[in-house]
Amino acid sequence: MTIVEITPEERTVLAKALLDALDPLAAAVRARATGLPAERMWDAEPVEVALSVLSAWKLVDAEVKRLTAGAAATAGSYGASYEQLGAAWGITRQGARKKWPDAVGRPVARPGSLDLFGGTAELAEDEASGGWRWTAVGADGERGGSAAGHRTREEAAAHAGAFLAAHA
């Protein structure tokens, strides 16, 4: 199994980014639970505030699991095996099969097409420039795309996938 580690500096940056992202969610969760405005989140007993933050982390955890399953399914649709998925996650082949039972052996998406996060994207090679472009419709109905300019199909697919994730 491959062991993926991050440096202490990367961990610090990641923790700050996660806390910055969590704060508005925690405030919104607390506001819905109490009926108080989000800006008054901290005007409560410390245990109540801490439990609201914990509830927000649970929501983040569920979203990370959903996005992780999508990444595993994408890798599987490109031909990754359970052994490879397990190695990337630091678990065994059997563990990967249990964690993402439908990730491998799914029908391969038609060339030039992505179906992710409830949306779809089409990839196309621009013969004039030799680059790749994408157009997409997210699950929320938002449309997006890029001009030719991605050097590879995979690069265009990565950008399209990020758009689809943002518009799930």
Side-chain angles (χ1 to χ4, degrees):
M1 281 184 272
T2 303
I3 298 175
V4 178
E5 296 182 13
I6 62 175
T7 67
E9 294 81 16
E10 291 167 332
R11 185 177 309 278
T12 299
V13 170
L14 177 61
K16 182 182 181 329
L18 288 172
L19 289 168
D20 288 348
L22 181 77
D23 193 44
L25 177 63
V29 168
R30 177 127 181 90
R32 282 195 301 274
T34 64
L36 295 172
E39 59 272 3
R40 292 194 49 214
M41 174 185 167
W42 303 110
D43 297 343
E45 292 296 318
V47 69
E48 291 176 25
V49 173
L51 290 172
S52 295
V53 170
L54 181 61
S55 294
W57 277 120
K58 182 177 184 340
L59 298 172
V60 170
D61 183 54
E63 185 63 11
V64 167
K65 287 177 180 164
R66 186 183 72 78
L67 293 171
T68 300
T74 299
S77 76
Y78 281 114
S81 67
Y82 280 115
E83 184 175 358
Q84 290 170 308
L85 293 176
W89 198 250
I91 59 178
T92 65
R93 174 182 53 81
Q94 295 88 345
R97 184 183 307 272
K98 184 176 179 181
K99 187 169 194 61
W100 305 297
D102 299 323
V104 173
R106 297 171 35 147
V108 177
R110 59 187 195 276
S113 175
L114 293 174
D115 295 313
L116 297 170
F117 308 109
T120 59
E122 297 294 326
L123 308 172
E125 188 171 10
D126 182 48
E127 294 183 19
S129 70
W132 286 82
R133 58 182 157 61
W134 59 271
T135 57
V137 179
D140 63 358
E142 186 74 23
R143 294 182 177 278
S146 70
H150 300 292
R151 291 174 293 176
T152 64
R153 179 183 184 280
E154 290 75 17
E155 183 181 336
H159 285 271
F163 173 86
L164 293 173
H167 295 281

